[in-house]
Amino acid sequence: MSFGLALQDHIFVTDIYEVRHLINIAIVDDEQYIREDIKKRIEQTGDDLAADGFESGEAFLNAEKQYDIVFLDIQLGGMDGIHVAKRLRQKAENAILIFVTGAKEYVFQAFDVAAFHYLLKPIEQEKFEEVLTRAAEEIKKRKKDEAGLLLIRTRNRTFPVQKSSILYVESRGKKAEIHTGRETITMYASLNSLQAELGEGFYRSHRGYLLNMAYVSEYYHDSVLLTNGEAIYLARDKYQEFVKEYMRYLKSGGTIHG
């Protein structure tokens, strides 16, 4: 399975740098005082957080700006919060969803759209800070992972490969093949070492395969279909573990590439 150029040499893998990112937050609630209250709490939590308010789900969905975290009321006038969340997921956006509502009965529907958390009104400050801090840390980790690079040095050149561009890694004896959307890079490296470097967004589906969960399209008991159409082996005794890890990845706002 090769997309193009194969480079055979030793590899040196490292993270290049970490960039400070501003985290954009949307507050979707039809009550102005709730929007203002949540925005004030957000601003008091950190100077790397920026919040915008929307009085309806329609206004939020029509916004050009993409948001990292969304505080979403379920009982909105017009389109309710559950439908707003479903529309957001259909757009393949990976925002972390935090539902804010006075009704407990919607909690199970919230899981259908991979909600990160569910806050009940009136909002307890301690709980709010805990949930927002965890969500912000998850966004920072995701952005760091997306910006993370593998630095590859061969005899003839040194070049970086973005971790987010890697679909899967395949073991070939003492060598490993890194498959991206443009090429296949062959080098001397163990799958264990690459798994440690690539991090939590990658899953060891088989002793010979390491796949990027951002490119999962479908999965079966013995294979995982990637968005480029390739099927990757999934060890049968790892099926339950994979489902659990993939659900956790989605719930935490993991990137999804169409």
Side-chain angles (χ1 to χ4, degrees):
M1 291 181 284
S2 176
F3 295 114
L5 178 65
L7 302 174
Q8 300 188 24
D9 214 313
H10 289 81
I11 181 173
F12 299 85
V13 184
T14 184
D15 288 315
I16 305 300
Y17 52 79
E18 181 176 357
V19 180
R20 181 179 174 84
H21 292 278
L22 185 67
I23 296 175
N24 293 308
I25 303 174
I27 307 161
V28 188
D29 198 297
D30 53 6
E31 296 183 89
Q32 183 177 352
Y33 81 94
I34 294 291
R35 297 196 303 272
E36 292 175 350
D37 176 62
I38 293 177
K39 184 172 183 179
K40 183 178 179 180
R41 294 176 191 235
I42 290 171
E43 291 172 345
Q44 292 173 343
T45 302
D47 58 6
D48 58 346
L49 308 176
D52 296 321
F54 298 90
E55 65 180 356
S56 71
E58 291 86 350
F60 165 65
L61 291 171
N62 289 329
E64 294 183 0
K65 188 174 181 180
Q66 286 197 341
Y67 291 92
D68 301 303
I69 300 171
V70 181
F71 285 91
L72 181 58
D73 184 19
I74 292 181
Q75 296 173 301
L76 291 168
M79 186 185 299
D80 66 54
I82 296 295
H83 284 88
V84 172
K86 288 179 178 177
R87 286 277 300 277
L88 186 67
R89 292 301 188 222
Q90 286 170 2
K91 291 167 63 178
E93 294 195 17
N94 305 306
I96 286 181
L97 290 175
I98 301 172
F99 282 113
V100 182
T101 184
K104 295 181 179 180
E105 60 265 28
Y106 296 102
V107 64
F108 293 108
Q109 294 182 57
F111 287 109
D112 290 339
V113 289
F116 184 78
H117 214 285
Y118 191 98
L119 293 175
L120 288 173
K121 298 177 183 178
I123 304 170
E124 295 181 5
Q125 179 61 21
E126 185 177 348
K127 189 65 176 179
F128 179 87
E129 290 179 359
E130 174 196 333
V131 172
L132 177 56
T133 299
R134 286 200 295 113
E137 288 301 317
E138 182 61 38
I139 290 296
K140 290 174 184 177
K141 177 182 177 300
R142 186 202 322 168
K143 290 190 174 185
K144 179 182 176 182
D145 289 344
E146 288 176 350
L149 301 173
L150 300 182
L151 187 64
I152 299 176
R153 295 189 180 98
T154 72
R155 294 171 187 166
N156 301 319
R157 62 173 179 150
T158 299
F159 62 98
V161 172
Q162 285 194 341
K163 294 179 182 179
S164 60
S165 72
I166 299 172
L167 282 74
Y168 67 97
V169 183
E170 182 178 2
S171 177
R172 293 284 188 178
K174 294 183 179 181
K175 300 176 183 178
E177 291 183 350
I178 291 183
H179 295 258
T180 74
R182 297 193 309 168
E183 62 181 357
T184 298
I185 305 167
T186 304
M187 80 293 291
Y188 288 97
S190 71
L191 219 54
N192 287 338
S193 64
L194 289 174
Q195 182 177 6
E197 291 289 342
L198 289 171
E200 293 183 1
F202 288 76
Y203 181 77
R204 188 75 170 267
S205 64
H206 181 274
R207 63 182 181 183
Y209 289 91
L210 180 64
L211 62 87
N212 187 341
M213 289 191 284
Y215 291 96
V216 171
S217 175
E218 302 174 19
Y219 56 86
Y220 307 92
H221 280 85
D222 59 356
S223 64
V224 177
L225 184 66
L226 302 184
T227 55
N228 71 337
E230 290 194 67
I232 305 302
Y233 287 117
L234 175 62
R236 287 184 177 274
D237 60 355
K238 284 199 166 190
Y239 175 76
Q240 295 294 340
E241 180 186 82
F242 169 75
V243 172
K244 181 179 178 180
E245 288 299 312
Y246 187 55
M247 291 300 105
R248 185 177 70 84
Y249 173 80
L250 293 178
K251 185 179 177 182
S252 65
T255 302
I256 303 171
H257 294 293

